[in-house]
Amino acid sequence: MKQIKSFFNFLNFRFLILSILIFKSCSNRAIVSVDDIGLKIPDVWQIPIPISEDIVGKWWEIFQDENLENFIFNFRKNSPDIQSILESKKMAYHNSKINSPNILPSINSSIRADTSMQNLTGFGDAAGEIFGGQSGEIISFENSTAGLGFNLQWEIDIWGRLSNAKIAAGKNYESINYDLTYLGFSSVIRAAQSYFQTVEAYEQMKIAQESYNSYTEIRDLVKNRYEKGLKSSLDYRLAETSVSTSIVLVETRKIQLSALRRRLETLLGKYPKGQMITSKALPDKLPIIEKAIPADIIIRRPDLKSLFLKTESEGLLLMQAKRNRLPGISISGSAGTSAQKLNDIFNEDYGIWSVGLNLATPIFNSGKLKSAVKFRESSKEKAKKDLLKGLLNAYSEVEQLLQINQSLSIQQESINNAVQQSLDAYNLSKERYDKGVTTLESVLNSQRQYNNVRSQYLTLKRQRIENRLSLILALGGDLDNNG
């Protein structure tokens, strides 16, 4: 239709000119760096990183545990926690689309058909005489209208404030996406740590069972000699006491193992039967960390990238708040047809159109726009402080984990020596007891100490694995992935 074509042709040229102005007026995308917040980063970590080879891309493969690999695969695929994170990502994306301002024109179309009935009772008998009716007769008539229309609304982003808001919305989405990515990464690490807690619980139960068997063997030996009058009732009662307490420990370990297995099944979104299959021994080989790692590698962490983006977003919103005090220009227009019959709405002879230009500038608003600028200035400064705090906490976390790793290595080496010494002491005490040189109490104490030291060794071994996984998380992932 001629009128509608004329309407859009009228807008095309103006749209081209104004688009050039908009893109030229778009603000610079302010990028925030560590230098902007005044934090001096050392070249290397203060706590030396252990000497080792390069880490593989998939850190869990270094354990060479097929059950662990299957667990992590199923966790990433089926975990309710991971599924929730994925849905949150989708929500964040669509929410950014909803809240992002429109830089381009907004065009809507409509089609309508109206019918109305009116009467002339308000004019009295005069209306009847005018329209040829009888005296006292109520005159009424019907009116029908139909129309097809296109409506346009467009705020021209001459100062770039809408562009700033749109870019800020995009950075906010990226920020949320990084937060959720880090949450997902953290969830996988925590799930792996829970897996190794379960493996340790299985080994602890084995130690408790072996302890029960040893105490039972000693009790049977003492009982036999007691019945022959070779040993006192004190020895027999001590041996029976040790057997009874070992049964309690076995049951306690069983409950702990079942609880951890149910926890793993829950993480996988399965019914918690307590039958989760894991490895039967903690691994000796750990994910490896390079000796020389630049301290600024931590900036790649998704949660820290999120803080950088939030700071950049606040800077853009500050620019927008400042430019909100400038005049605004908008265009409104409509084009279409208006007729009394519905089948005439596509007839160009009934075409109508209009275009309007509006210029509005703030004059008095009780200081609201000025306060909005002050608010955004404070918000930007707060974002920078949050970024500084996040960086400091991250560096502190890595330094602490490195120091704990050193300490655990020393402790594990010492406990490993204690395990061998306590085993030798236990065997020696049994020999001396058989020869009548020492008491049964000494044998039971040495057995108890041997089992306690073995249990400590397992706990330290698992703690070292957990610490190494936490270090991978704190460094932002595998060292081969420097993106």
Side-chain angles (χ1 to χ4, degrees):
M1 293 179 291
K2 292 181 180 180
Q3 285 77 3
I4 297 178
K5 290 180 180 178
S6 299
F7 170 72
F8 285 106
N9 288 335
F10 176 82
L11 293 176
N12 282 340
F13 177 72
R14 289 156 180 78
F15 176 76
L16 177 62
I17 298 300
L18 291 171
S19 296
I20 294 173
L21 292 173
I22 289 170
F23 288 120
K24 286 182 68 67
S25 64
C26 286
S27 61
N28 294 327
R29 301 189 181 190
I31 304 299
V32 177
S33 67
V34 178
D35 295 335
D36 296 331
I37 58 174
L39 178 61
K40 181 175 176 57
I41 301 175
D43 294 330
V44 295
W45 300 100
Q46 300 302 301
I47 303 298
I49 291 177
I51 299 175
S52 58
E53 302 171 358
D54 293 339
I55 188 170
V56 297
K58 296 180 179 179
W59 49 265
W60 53 84
E61 291 181 351
I62 203 71
F63 293 111
Q64 299 179 355
D65 185 342
E66 185 177 348
N67 289 323
L68 172 63
E69 292 183 22
N70 290 334
F71 170 73
I72 291 180
F73 174 80
N74 290 322
F75 177 78
R76 290 159 66 99
K77 181 180 179 182
N78 302 317
S79 168
D81 292 335
I82 298 297
Q83 296 299 321
S84 176
I85 290 172
L86 293 176
E87 292 302 323
S88 295
K89 282 189 176 182
K90 293 178 184 178
M91 291 170 60
Y93 172 77
H94 292 296
N95 191 53
S96 69
K97 291 290 185 181
I98 294 171
N99 295 327
S100 180
N102 292 325
I103 295 179
L104 299 177
S106 174
I107 301 176
N108 299 308
S109 65
S110 64
I111 185 170
R112 62 182 179 82
D114 302 323
T115 300
S116 62
M117 177 69 74
Q118 296 182 353
N119 62 63
L120 305 176
T121 56
F123 294 94
D125 293 339
E129 295 176 0
I130 294 172
F131 289 94
Q134 299 294 326
S135 177
E137 181 182 359
I138 299 176
I139 303 299
S140 61
F141 61 91
E142 185 179 284
N143 183 45
S144 297
T145 59
L148 171 67
F150 295 89
N151 297 309
L152 175 143
Q153 293 291 331
W154 185 20
E155 181 180 352
I156 303 171
D157 193 22
I158 192 68
W159 310 115
R161 55 187 170 195
L162 295 180
S163 299
N164 284 331
K166 190 174 185 66
I167 297 171
K171 287 186 179 292
N172 278 330
Y173 164 67
E174 288 184 69
S175 171
I176 294 173
N177 196 40
Y178 275 125
D179 282 335
L180 294 172
T181 298
Y182 188 72
L183 180 59
F185 179 32
S186 174
S187 297
V188 174
I189 291 289
R190 303 306 178 204
Q193 290 174 334
S194 295
Y195 175 89
F196 287 117
Q197 289 173 8
T198 308
V199 176
E200 184 210 351
Y202 176 81
E203 290 200 80
Q204 295 283 12
M205 187 190 71
K206 281 177 55 181
I207 290 177
Q209 187 67 50
E210 291 171 6
S211 176
Y212 166 76
N213 294 337
S214 296
Y215 284 131
T216 301
E217 180 182 350
I218 294 174
R219 188 272 315 271
D220 293 342
L221 177 63
V222 173
K223 182 179 179 181
N224 182 53
R225 294 182 179 182
Y226 168 68
E227 290 175 347
K228 293 180 179 180
L230 300 176
K231 294 294 180 183
S232 67
S233 63
L234 176 61
D235 284 356
Y236 175 65
R237 296 182 189 282
L238 287 174
E240 280 287 5
T241 300
S242 297
V243 170
S244 297
T245 55
S246 67
I247 293 174
V248 174
L249 182 59
V250 169
E251 292 302 313
T252 300
R253 296 300 192 193
K254 285 182 179 179
I255 291 174
Q256 292 173 346
L257 178 59
S258 295
L260 287 168
R261 282 176 169 171
R262 289 190 173 91
R263 181 181 177 185
L264 293 185
E265 290 165 341
T266 301
L267 289 174
L268 296 180
K270 295 181 178 180
Y271 185 83
K273 296 180 180 180
Q275 300 173 356
M276 180 73 190
I277 297 176
T278 63
S279 173
K280 299 184 184 305
L282 290 171
D284 295 315
K285 192 173 183 180
L286 300 181
I288 42 188
I289 303 295
E290 293 178 345
K291 179 182 179 182
I293 299 178
D296 60 357
I297 195 175
I298 202 172
I299 299 174
R300 69 181 181 158
R301 271 177 48 167
D303 59 327
L304 295 181
K305 284 188 175 182
S306 172
L307 292 174
F308 277 102
L309 287 168
K310 287 175 182 176
T311 305
E312 293 170 13
S313 175
E314 289 298 333
L316 291 165
L317 292 175
L318 173 59
M319 295 180 191
Q320 180 197 12
K322 289 179 178 179
R323 293 174 186 182
N324 282 340
R325 305 174 72 179
L326 299 173
I329 302 174
S330 62
I331 291 178
S332 62
S334 63
T337 58
S338 179
Q340 289 188 334
K341 297 180 180 179
L342 186 61
N343 57 2
D344 288 335
I345 63 173
F346 295 104
N347 189 336
E348 62 184 25
D349 294 334
Y350 292 92
I352 57 173
W353 68 273
S354 66
V355 175
L357 182 67
N358 180 57
L359 174 65
T361 184
I363 297 177
F364 178 75
N365 48 61
S366 301
K368 291 182 179 180
L369 293 178
K370 184 177 180 181
S371 294
V373 172
K374 295 296 183 182
F375 172 82
R376 285 299 171 191
E377 287 176 345
S378 296
S379 185
K380 180 182 177 181
E381 288 302 312
K382 180 181 180 299
K384 291 175 69 174
K385 300 303 180 186
D386 290 341
L387 173 57
L388 175 61
K389 179 181 176 181
L391 285 168
L392 291 173
N393 286 338
Y395 284 117
S396 175
E397 183 181 0
V398 173
E399 295 284 8
Q400 183 67 15
L401 288 170
L402 289 172
Q403 185 172 5
I404 291 174
N405 181 79
Q406 284 186 342
S407 176
L408 288 174
S409 297
I410 296 172
Q411 293 179 58
Q412 189 176 4
E413 183 177 352
S414 299
I415 286 293
N416 190 35
N417 179 62
V419 169
Q420 186 60 50
Q421 295 297 329
S422 61
L423 175 60
D424 293 341
Y426 172 55
N427 291 330
L428 182 60
S429 66
K430 286 197 298 182
E431 292 178 8
R432 292 169 64 84
Y433 180 71
D434 287 339
K435 296 177 180 179
V437 179
T438 189
T439 63
L440 177 64
E441 186 176 4
S442 176
V443 177
L444 296 176
N445 286 337
S446 61
Q447 163 73 345
R448 190 174 300 111
Q449 184 180 32
Y450 172 57
N451 291 330
N452 289 340
V453 171
R454 291 170 69 196
S455 178
Q456 282 182 272
Y457 176 78
L458 282 178
T459 299
L460 283 172
K461 194 173 183 180
R462 188 260 307 163
Q463 287 177 347
R464 195 174 177 208
I465 294 172
E466 284 191 6
N467 184 77
R468 185 59 57 87
L469 294 177
S470 295
L471 186 56
I472 291 175
L473 177 62
L475 288 172
D478 302 338
L479 297 182
D480 283 345
N481 178 21
N482 294 318

